[in-house]
Amino acid sequence: MELLKIDCLGKSLRLEGSLAGWQQLFWDNTLVSQKAASVENGGLKVHEFELTQHQSQLASDTGETQVLEHKIQVRLETDVVWQPFRFDYRLLVDEEVIAQGTRTEKDIERQTPEVPVTNPQKISFVGLASLGFKLLKSAKVIKVVLAGASVAAYSWLFSFQFALALIACLVFHEYGHIRAMKYFGMKTKGIYLIPFMGGLALSDEKINTRWQDVVISIMGPTFGLLMSVGSLIAYHLTDNVFFAGLAAFNALLNLFNLLPILPLDGGHILKSISFSMNSIMGLIACVIGAVFGVYISYTLGLALLGFLLLIGSLEIVFEWRTRHQSHLLPLDRYGQIFSTIWYLVTVAALVGIIWHLAGTGDDMLSLPLHILRS
């Protein structure tokens, strides 16, 4: 991840680093210093390199111009603490301090990482096709076509009215992702509806921290939960079973999105939480939590939910060793606890809505619970 980017002698000085402990320092996109990965991934590190400055000087005795070389000593002192994140730095040129400061997680969230410069390619049919596809994908007409196809697909499965309501639920869910992206200052490309597969909220920008990953991922199901709660209230006020069905199926849709399986929202959330735990105790806590979740699911008779929870948790455990290679800044202890509670409360609320409506005795309203028990 990009830890620092400041000006140094008129050029960009950029420091890249990771939880594994390695650091690379670039001056004008040229590698000038690096530190290897180590067990001590934080603490004080010093980067030193030398620059050569050429100066022209007129000789008084001969009248000729001489080119003199002047060596410039540059030293960057850094001190990084990963959880909670704090990065202190001091830049010295010829033993004179020219820049110093502190960076926090908020600075990492708002930064735009350096994009490597690529050599321009010759025009080809493949390049033109790729450009055409990108333009097509970004066109508003594609959104309209996909939305129409989604309405037709869900109308074939249910009714036209319920299809429109389901589309509204999908859009509201994806809007939750969009709002979170905008909160972090990310540019969005809008919402794309995909028949039989739900929706997709797109952004051209990449995230820099696991907190961003958690918030963007969980805001979709959170907005979905609000939609189900609103529909449930409308059902009890009007006694119209249409709102009850909308609440139940929307809750089921968002519950499946919270399964710890990538690329679902739940996979991103639990991966960010577990990968932010540096010690083996963190992994043990994740395993215990997964086992408890599977036990509760089977105790309640939710066999499908328990099975998918087990598969998703095993996937995250197997990838746990690669957490230090990620460019994402990890969650601190508060972020881990808060994200876990937010996730569990959202899951419990969605299951509670499904369970409550299944108790009405209506066969259609009982279908989501039967699916979870299958």
Side-chain angles (χ1 to χ4, degrees):
M1 73 185 68
E2 185 179 287
L3 297 175
L4 178 68
K5 186 166 69 173
I6 57 176
D7 180 77
C8 175
L9 302 176
K11 302 289 185 180
S12 173
L13 185 69
R14 187 177 81 256
L15 180 66
E16 301 279 348
S18 81
L19 275 169
W22 64 262
Q23 289 186 2
Q24 291 182 326
L25 183 64
F26 297 86
W27 184 77
D28 194 23
N29 287 324
T30 301
L31 181 64
V32 292
S33 176
Q34 61 182 340
K35 303 292 181 182
S38 63
V39 178
E40 297 295 331
N41 62 350
L44 182 65
K45 292 183 185 293
V46 178
H47 295 270
E48 294 181 298
F49 62 98
E50 187 179 78
L51 298 174
T52 302
Q53 184 181 49
H54 296 88
Q55 295 179 333
S56 298
Q57 180 176 331
L58 185 64
S60 58
D61 52 347
T62 63
E64 295 180 354
T65 302
Q66 296 177 334
V67 178
L68 302 179
E69 290 188 352
H70 173 61
K71 301 295 184 180
I72 302 175
Q73 302 296 326
V74 182
R75 185 167 80 248
L76 177 67
E77 301 172 351
T78 68
D79 188 8
V80 58
V81 178
W82 290 104
Q83 292 175 311
F85 180 78
R86 179 185 173 91
F87 181 82
D88 297 307
Y89 66 92
R90 191 170 71 147
L91 177 64
L92 298 93
V93 176
D94 289 337
E95 300 302 325
E96 179 184 351
V97 178
I98 65 170
Q100 60 183 345
T102 299
R103 306 194 77 210
T104 64
E105 182 177 347
K106 291 297 182 183
D107 298 306
I108 299 295
E109 286 178 355
R110 299 291 176 175
Q111 71 185 11
T112 302
E114 188 81 11
V115 179
V117 178
T118 56
N119 295 326
Q121 299 178 348
K122 295 181 178 180
I123 298 178
S124 64
F125 289 107
V126 176
L128 290 175
S130 176
L131 178 61
F133 177 75
K134 291 180 180 179
L135 292 174
L136 189 63
K137 187 174 68 172
S138 63
K140 293 183 178 180
V141 66
I142 296 301
K143 296 181 183 180
V144 176
V145 171
L146 288 175
S150 297
V151 172
Y154 297 132
S155 297
W156 177 69
L157 284 178
F158 307 105
S159 65
F160 177 72
Q161 293 81 357
F162 194 82
L164 291 179
L166 187 58
I167 292 296
C169 291
L170 291 173
V171 170
F172 202 63
H173 172 103
E174 299 302 330
Y175 181 69
H177 295 312
I178 293 291
R179 287 300 305 166
M181 292 176 186
K182 290 183 177 180
Y183 171 78
F184 289 115
M186 301 170 61
K187 296 179 180 179
T188 61
K189 296 181 65 176
I191 299 171
Y192 290 81
L193 296 173
I194 305 174
F196 301 113
M197 296 186 65
L200 187 64
L202 296 179
S203 171
D204 286 329
E205 300 183 19
K206 293 183 178 180
I207 59 176
N208 299 314
T209 70
R210 293 206 179 276
W211 174 243
Q212 288 177 300
D213 197 17
V214 168
V215 175
I216 291 173
S217 299
I218 204 171
M219 281 302 288
T222 299
F223 268 54
L225 173 61
L226 294 177
M227 173 69 83
S228 284
V229 170
S231 299
L232 186 61
I233 293 174
Y235 165 64
H236 285 296
L237 291 177
T238 64
D239 204 28
N240 189 333
V241 72
F242 173 84
F243 293 112
L246 189 61
F249 281 96
N250 182 59
L252 180 65
L253 171 70
N254 284 276
L255 184 61
F256 272 107
N257 263 285
L258 284 173
L259 288 173
I261 302 173
L262 293 172
L264 298 180
D265 296 331
H268 286 282
I269 296 167
L270 292 190
K271 189 172 182 178
S272 287
I273 295 173
S274 60
F275 281 26
S276 296
M277 300 177 181
N278 283 328
S279 66
I280 191 66
M281 293 303 298
L283 179 61
I284 294 175
C286 287
V287 172
I288 293 175
V291 171
F292 180 73
V294 172
Y295 171 76
I296 290 295
S297 297
Y298 277 93
T299 300
L300 297 177
L302 309 179
L304 179 60
L305 183 62
F307 175 74
L308 294 177
L309 178 63
L310 175 63
I311 297 300
S313 299
L314 288 176
E315 176 188 4
I316 291 175
V317 169
F318 290 148
E319 292 186 19
W320 188 76
R321 288 183 178 273
T322 66
R323 70 195 185 284
H324 285 163
Q325 307 304 321
S326 173
H327 73 282
L328 300 179
L329 185 67
L331 295 165
D332 58 21
R333 188 61 53 86
Y334 169 79
Q336 295 168 24
I337 295 173
F338 185 84
S339 300
T340 302
I341 294 175
W342 191 355
Y343 175 82
L344 293 177
V345 168
T346 305
V347 169
L350 292 170
V351 172
I353 291 174
I354 293 173
W355 203 287
H356 169 71
L357 291 173
T360 61
D362 189 288
D363 290 340
M364 185 190 72
L365 300 182
S366 300
L367 182 58
L369 185 60
H370 289 320
I371 293 176
L372 294 179
R373 286 175 169 174
S374 61

